[in-house]
Amino acid sequence: MMTSSYPDEILNKFAVSDEDLRDLLRKFEAELEAGLDPETRENSDLKTLPTFITSTPDGSEHGNFIALDLGGTNFRIMLVKISSGCRPSLVMDSQVYFISEQIMKGSGTQLFDYIANDLYNFLHQRNLVENLPNLPIGFTFSFPTKNIGFKQTILVYWSKGFTCDGVVGQDIGQLLNEAIVRKFGQEFANRELPVVVNDTVGTMISSGYNYHDISMGLIVGTGTNMCYMERRDKIKIISPPPQSESTPSDEMCINCEWGTFGDVTGALRHIETEFDRRLDGGSVNVGVHRYEKMIGGMYLGELARNVIMKLHGDGMMFENISQDSKLHEEGLSTAFISQLTEPNITLHEVKKYLASLGLTASQYECSYIVQLCEALSLRAAKLCAVGVVGVGNRVLAHRSTNQLTIGVDGSVYKKHPTFSKMLKNYVKQLACGEASYEFRTSNDGSGKGAALVAAIDHRLQQSQPKPTCS
């Protein structure tokens, strides 16, 4: 039976105690370890993915590079000029192209021919078509992939509305090169394969241009993910390099795909609420990405809407919702959360904002919605801190340092008025001993980051010595 205290009981359900956080941290670390071992990986929450990227920027990268960025209806091409030495610089010349629904749902050949055609036009406008063999390509391909080797990136499945046939299970770099040959001519057949990365790796590498001690990359936007530099001998899911191989680093970047924490083990079940279960049940990926659904921007607004509509439906609160209110529609933007957690927002401003959404709210209801948005935001920040420290502890163990630098990007981190501060506070609370974490906002990880990954690959191939300034 519901009582008048039921609304407050709902808010309390989103609370995560310090004891819960410590327990989740231990479980997260155990799952991260299990994900790196072939004997335990199958039953682990975290299917850690080796990227075969073994270095971050060290300041010696230089040259001209092409960056491609595909992750939605906008496709970007960038010419990136990197200078090193005493006056390092990075200059980008970019152009955006629209991906039509016809291409998104057509064949893979159509998609990659479209990309190659755009690349040709981009270079032709700059009189650089003949230079393509000397322009290494970095390709941010923001879809679920797995790496089976360096420059061997396989599409696992499409997302974001793309359904192009003939691409799943194929090597993305190879498909791109084949399209380039079809467009540019057979003389381009022997060019190097592009380096394909996801947006999380790009975020870390992009931040590493200015902060050479970078070791982690964090995305908190529509979804959430983390990558980090792991000791190669700890990555048991891949074969160790041959003794004869000259390796530039004893580290390799691991893509955590941490949104799946709790999916197999049920680690999050004790903090899950009826509203989390309702959201999951109505999602396109039922039963998976439970951790992401408590943190990502795609879900926070919808969680708030579910609570509001539950109280409305039960006749407890929010009686005055108009028939055409956006609150009746699924997928409420997390901008709703950000707007109502703005420091010093007045109840008058809250009331006016809610009215624009078709809700005529009392003063108490305005106050309650603000508290709800704060509770969801706080839980998201706490849970994200668990993952940050869980990954950070692994880096601390092999880098012999107390300071970690994290490249970070994403709309929730950048635009939510209090999320980043709360995240830093709880990372500090959970961190071991004197460990400190520096969060560095990434600038265009999907563009600049892709070019820098290509530049790092070029540097390692050329074995360029790091320049010194006199």
Side-chain angles (χ1 to χ4, degrees), residues 27 120 184 196 225 232 238 277 310 380 421:
K27 290 176 178 177
Y120 183 91
F184 287 71
V196 182
N225 194 20
R232 286 179 67 140
I238 59 173
R277 291 187 287 273
K310 167 69 173 173
K421 182 178 180 179

Side-chain angles (χ1 to χ4, degrees), residues 204 207 211 213-217 403-407 436-440:
M204 179 180 75
S207 297
Y211 305 97
D213 60 345
I214 200 81
S215 58
M216 299 162 66
Q403 173 136 351
L404 293 175
T405 303
I406 306 171
S436 68
Y437 291 73
E438 292 292 330
F439 290 80
R440 302 296 185 183

